[in-house]
Amino acid sequence: MNTKQIIPSDEELTAFIDGELTAEEAARIETMVNEDESVAERLEFLSRASLPFEQAFAPLLSQAPREKLEAMLAAIPVGEVARSGSAPALVSRRRLLGALAASLIAGIAIDRAVLGIGKGFSAKDENSEWRAVVADYISLYTPETLAGPAPERDVQAAQLASLDEKLGLSLSPEAVALPGIDFKRALLLQYDGKPLAQIAYLDPETGPLALCIVRSDGGAKAPDLESRKGMNVVYWANRTHAFMLIGRIPADRAQELAENVRSRLSS
């Protein structure tokens, strides 16, 4: 008698992408990818969304209590791979997901969809897609993610300079400053094979905020506003780059800050 196959989770799909499944499990998922269009689309998306979660969250994970972290990891179901004994019980991305879950103990609110994405966008809209990926990523941030003193100007300048070569920009602490909001760090990430700059801030009233920049040939676009993952997003583009400012701040404040930084980046 035929039984309905269980749709693979994002965790299983990322393990498949990383080549960390047994031959039997990999063959099962490959069959489902060939037979189920939704699974194939999800696999394609996860293959493209290559943001380095581990790099960004390493400071947080180091704060989680070791004993409780290990206990949480031990309790995470690992599916047929672990039961077969033919592969390590926790593959690399499973360890990351477990660590993120364990960091809840340290008071860090983690969104369940670490590798997920909202369903309210068209996969054919590249600009919408990158904003959705970033929103999923930033939704994991809490004030604890960006705790600590703001770096000195020379440190900010050095971090921004590391982005310039990849993005073809000339960023300075003054150009990306947000009034009344502390600059915390600048990271170079990657989306769909392209460099993606993330400049993170901490608003004392509403928490984490990020200015993200990616190369784009979609042409100039005037600022617009949308909501993703409970956050307001102001996005715009010039001839060479797409920008977004995202955070849990009121829409009017988000638009004011975005216009402020947009005027400086375009000057």
Side-chain angles (χ1 to χ4, degrees):
M1 180 177 65
N2 292 331
T3 58
K4 184 177 180 180
Q5 295 191 42
I6 299 175
I7 299 298
S9 65
D10 284 356
E11 184 183 352
E12 291 175 302
L13 290 175
T14 53
F16 176 79
I17 293 166
D18 292 342
E20 296 172 332
L21 295 180
T22 64
E24 180 182 354
E25 282 293 297
R28 180 181 70 85
I29 290 182
E30 186 171 355
T31 297
M32 295 195 69
V33 168
N34 292 332
E35 296 178 350
D36 190 322
E37 184 178 352
S38 65
V39 175
E41 290 177 352
R42 189 62 179 168
L43 180 67
E44 180 183 2
F45 168 74
L46 292 174
S47 298
R48 297 176 64 190
S50 54
L51 294 176
F53 293 100
E54 188 166 8
Q55 173 191 355
F57 284 92
L60 279 184
L61 302 182
S62 67
Q63 299 172 13
R66 182 178 179 82
E67 296 80 5
K68 293 182 179 180
L69 176 60
E70 291 176 345
M72 290 285 285
L73 290 173
I76 295 174
V78 295
E80 296 296 329
V81 175
R83 288 196 290 273
S84 69
S86 58
L90 292 175
V91 296
S92 61
R93 296 201 187 193
R94 291 191 180 94
R95 282 197 295 269
L96 174 58
L97 293 176
L100 289 172
S103 61
L104 280 168
I105 299 171
I108 301 160
I110 299 299
D111 192 286
R112 289 187 305 164
V114 176
L115 291 173
I117 188 166
K119 297 181 179 179
F121 74 96
S122 167
K124 296 181 180 180
D125 182 351
E126 180 183 357
N127 288 328
S128 178
E129 184 172 312
W130 88 277
R131 296 197 305 273
V133 172
V134 170
D136 268 350
Y137 186 58
I138 300 300
S139 72
L140 301 175
Y141 281 19
T142 71
E144 288 84 358
T145 310
L146 302 172
E152 297 294 333
R153 186 196 180 282
D154 59 338
V155 176
Q156 295 182 31
Q159 292 181 6
L160 292 169
S162 69
L163 309 178
D164 289 346
E165 181 179 353
K166 296 290 185 180
L167 286 168
L169 291 171
S170 181
L171 301 173
S172 68
E174 291 75 23
V176 300
L178 299 180
I181 299 175
D182 286 341
F183 175 109
K184 287 296 185 175
R185 69 186 185 204
L187 291 174
L188 182 65
L189 308 177
Q190 179 175 286
Y191 169 71
D192 198 16
K194 297 183 291 188
L196 187 158
Q198 180 205 104
I199 304 167
Y201 310 82
L202 186 60
D203 179 7
E205 296 183 0
T206 61
L209 190 70
L211 172 66
C212 298
I213 310 168
V214 68
R215 285 184 182 271
S216 173
D217 56 5
K221 180 176 178 59
D224 205 349
L225 176 71
E226 65 183 3
S227 178
R228 292 184 183 271
K229 307 289 285 188
M231 298 173 287
N232 283 313
V233 181
V234 181
Y235 60 97
W236 69 96
N238 60 24
R239 293 184 300 103
T240 55
H241 295 83
F243 304 81
M244 63 182 286
L245 183 70
I246 178 171
R248 295 180 177 86
I249 54 177
D252 56 350
R253 176 66 171 151
Q255 291 173 306
E256 177 186 345
L257 290 172
E259 183 56 35
N260 185 294
V261 72
R262 187 176 80 93
S263 64
R264 281 181 268 118
L265 290 176
S266 61
S267 60

